[in-house]
């Protein structure tokens, strides 16, 4: 049987004023990136022409969004990322107002909601895609919201198992000097995932589910050779995987499964000669249908008010050896 063809489409928009292009694209092209990531299209600009390329339906939607943004930029001048997200929501019918989105975790007394428009985009991406790669600074809720959505999927019986995974990479410390057996040594690496779980359900419920193998919290090395069917699997701190480890992890995906991979590419603890598997995957997998990439920003940080300023202060120190791939 011949392979099925994917028909590509192209559309163009004209920009007559340079200042409109600056407002439309946003700082470091963040507005265009939001549209590219949402719809999997290519957007280029040359000689006053914006060219949108991709699958026909995606191109039509992205072009409509760009047209509305162009009119907004012509009327108002500066536009924000929130403006972009609101227009995406109005065109697609997907609500990006955090107040309109609620995650139904096991404990009915606990209400989990995204708190920023970026977090709302992240939640909707996980709900509508089988594999999501999420990058962003600390405190943007990447792990917390993914765990909440895994618990929601378990409650709704759309999956049968939650698997929470972390690479046991030593951030300037040595596992060998920690007390106890190997399980005791790796527990500190897995603690953030357990902390997130404790926000969603009582300790006794977690203990029961772990005893029944419904919830697993495991180091990445323990994933080799497995196939996970009807599982919601989260790989946290994915910037600390190697390329080989990332390939190994992603190929564990079985029937009826969902995967969320999250990390912060400015906090890589790998040896200097090693390339981050997350950065490699962002470039390698971007064009594959069914895989969605979400980029979160300092504006999505919901920890202490000083965290945004701390992240900004360290921004220029991101490791140059593992820069994100050029688009």
């Amino acid at each position: 049987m011949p392979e099925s063809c994917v028909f590509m489409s192209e559309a163009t928009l004209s920009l007559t004023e340079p200042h409109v292009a600056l407002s439309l694209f946003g700082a470091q092209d963040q507005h265009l990136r939001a549209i590219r990531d949402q719809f999997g299209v290519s957007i280029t600009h040359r000689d006053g022409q914006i060219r949108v390329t991709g699958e026909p339906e995606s191109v039509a939607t992205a072009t409509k969004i760009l047209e509305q943004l162009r009119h907004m930029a012509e009327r108002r001048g500066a536009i924000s990322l929130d403006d972009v997200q609101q227009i995406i929501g109005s065109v697609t019918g997907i609500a990006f107002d955090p107040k309109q989105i609620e995650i139904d975790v096991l404990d009915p007394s606990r209400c989990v909601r995204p708190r920023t428009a970026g977090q709302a985009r992240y939640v909707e991406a996980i709900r509508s895609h089988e594999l999501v790669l999420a990058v962003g600074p600390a405190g943007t809720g990447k792990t917390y919201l993914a765990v909440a959505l895994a618990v929601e999927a378990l409650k709704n019986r759309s999956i049968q198992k939650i698997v929470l995974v972390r690479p046991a990479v030593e951030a300037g410390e040595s596992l060998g000097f920690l007390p106890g057996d190997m399980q005791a040594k790796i527990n500190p690496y897995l603690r953030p995932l357990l902390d997130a779980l404790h926000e969603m359900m009582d300790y006794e419920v977690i203990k029961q589910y772990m005893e029944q193998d419904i919830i697993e919290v495991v180091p990445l090395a323990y994933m080799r050779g497995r196939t996970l069917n009807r599982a919601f699997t989260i790989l946290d701190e994915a910037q600390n995987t190697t390329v080989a480890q990332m390939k190994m992890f992603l190929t564990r995906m079985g029937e009826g499964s969902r995967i969320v991979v999250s990390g912060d590419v400015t906090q890589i603890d790998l040896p200097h000669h090693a390339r981050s598997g997350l950065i490699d995957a962002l470039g390698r997998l971007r064009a594959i249908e069914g895989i969605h990439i979400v980029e979160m920003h300092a504006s999505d940080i919901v920890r202490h008010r000083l965290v945004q300023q701390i992240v900004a202060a360290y921004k220029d120190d991101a490791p140059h050896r593992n820069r994100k791939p050029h688009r």
Side-chain angles (χ1 to χ4, degrees):
M1 293 290 290
E3 294 184 1
S4 60
C5 296
V6 177
F7 294 100
M8 304 298 284
S9 177
E10 184 176 284
T12 58
L13 288 83
S14 297
L15 295 177
T16 57
E17 300 293 336
H19 73 274
V20 172
L22 292 174
S23 298
L24 179 60
F25 298 163
Q28 299 179 335
D29 291 347
Q30 64 175 339
H31 299 165
L32 295 190
R33 286 203 307 271
I35 298 170
R36 287 173 183 151
D37 293 343
Q38 181 73 18
F39 302 104
V41 296
S42 169
I43 305 175
T44 57
H45 176 241
R46 185 175 181 180
D47 299 329
Q49 295 285 320
I50 296 177
R51 191 181 308 275
V52 185
T53 308
E55 296 182 13
E57 184 177 351
S58 297
V59 167
T61 304
T63 303
K64 186 174 181 179
I65 290 165
L66 286 167
E67 288 174 341
Q68 292 192 23
L69 289 171
R70 180 183 61 183
H71 293 318
M72 179 181 289
E74 289 170 348
R75 292 194 318 268
R76 288 174 25 185
I79 59 178
S80 68
L81 188 58
D82 281 344
D83 292 326
V84 176
Q85 292 162 351
Q86 288 173 8
I87 288 179
I88 291 175
S90 67
V91 170
T92 62
I94 299 174
F96 290 108
D97 181 357
K99 296 178 182 178
Q100 298 180 17
I101 299 174
E102 183 171 338
I103 303 173
D104 185 15
V105 296
L106 287 179
D107 188 339
S109 67
R110 298 176 185 177
C111 179
V112 179
R113 287 193 178 97
R115 293 169 58 183
T116 70
Q119 289 188 349
R121 286 192 300 115
Y122 179 46
V123 169
E124 293 299 330
I126 293 173
R127 282 177 169 168
S128 56
H129 294 83
E130 294 175 334
L131 174 53
V132 172
L133 306 177
V135 292
T140 51
K142 302 184 300 296
T143 303
Y144 182 83
L145 291 171
V147 171
L149 288 162
V151 173
E152 178 183 66
L154 184 64
K155 181 177 181 178
N156 295 338
R157 299 185 179 181
S158 59
I159 53 103
Q160 296 176 338
K161 185 182 185 70
I162 296 174
V163 184
L164 308 178
V165 184
R166 261 194 167 202
V169 173
E170 303 169 57
E173 300 175 1
S174 175
L175 281 172
F177 289 100
L178 292 174
D181 58 15
M182 181 52 67
Q183 188 63 42
K185 291 176 188 292
I186 63 177
N187 274 342
Y189 290 97
L190 306 178
R191 174 54 55 186
L193 296 170
L194 288 170
D195 289 345
L197 268 180
H198 288 152
E199 293 284 329
M200 318 295 167
M201 61 181 75
D202 293 332
Y203 173 80
E204 290 300 324
V205 176
I206 296 174
K207 182 180 177 181
Q208 177 186 347
Y209 280 175
M210 293 182 77
E211 289 173 351
Q212 295 173 351
D213 211 29
I214 296 172
I215 294 178
E216 280 189 80
V217 186
V218 295
L220 177 61
Y222 289 24
M223 297 295 291
R224 188 173 298 279
R226 303 181 61 182
T227 300
L228 298 173
N229 295 316
R230 296 205 64 191
F232 195 124
T233 308
I234 300 168
L235 175 58
D236 192 35
E237 298 291 335
Q239 76 277 3
N240 288 328
T241 63
T242 65
V243 174
Q245 286 174 330
M246 180 63 77
K247 177 185 176 183
M248 178 274 290
F249 172 78
L250 293 176
T251 53
R252 302 309 93 200
M253 191 175 194
E255 292 295 326
S257 288
R258 292 181 174 272
I259 288 180
V260 177
V261 175
S262 68
D264 179 356
V265 295
T266 69
Q267 296 189 24
I268 296 172
D269 299 317
L270 292 169
H272 287 283
H273 65 273
R275 178 166 173 77
S276 167
L278 176 58
I279 290 177
D280 179 79
L282 291 172
R284 192 185 297 268
L285 306 179
R286 184 174 294 274
I288 297 178
E289 185 178 357
I291 298 178
H292 190 77
I293 296 172
V294 176
E295 295 186 20
M296 304 182 79
H297 306 279
S299 59
D300 297 310
I301 293 173
V302 294
R303 290 181 182 169
H304 190 280
R305 61 179 179 80
L306 290 177
V307 174
Q308 284 192 16
Q309 298 175 50
I310 292 169
V311 168
Y314 280 92
K315 186 174 182 180
D316 293 336
D317 265 354
H320 297 295
R321 63 188 171 87
N322 275 315
R323 282 179 180 165
K324 292 161 70 175
H326 293 294
R327 292 180 176 83

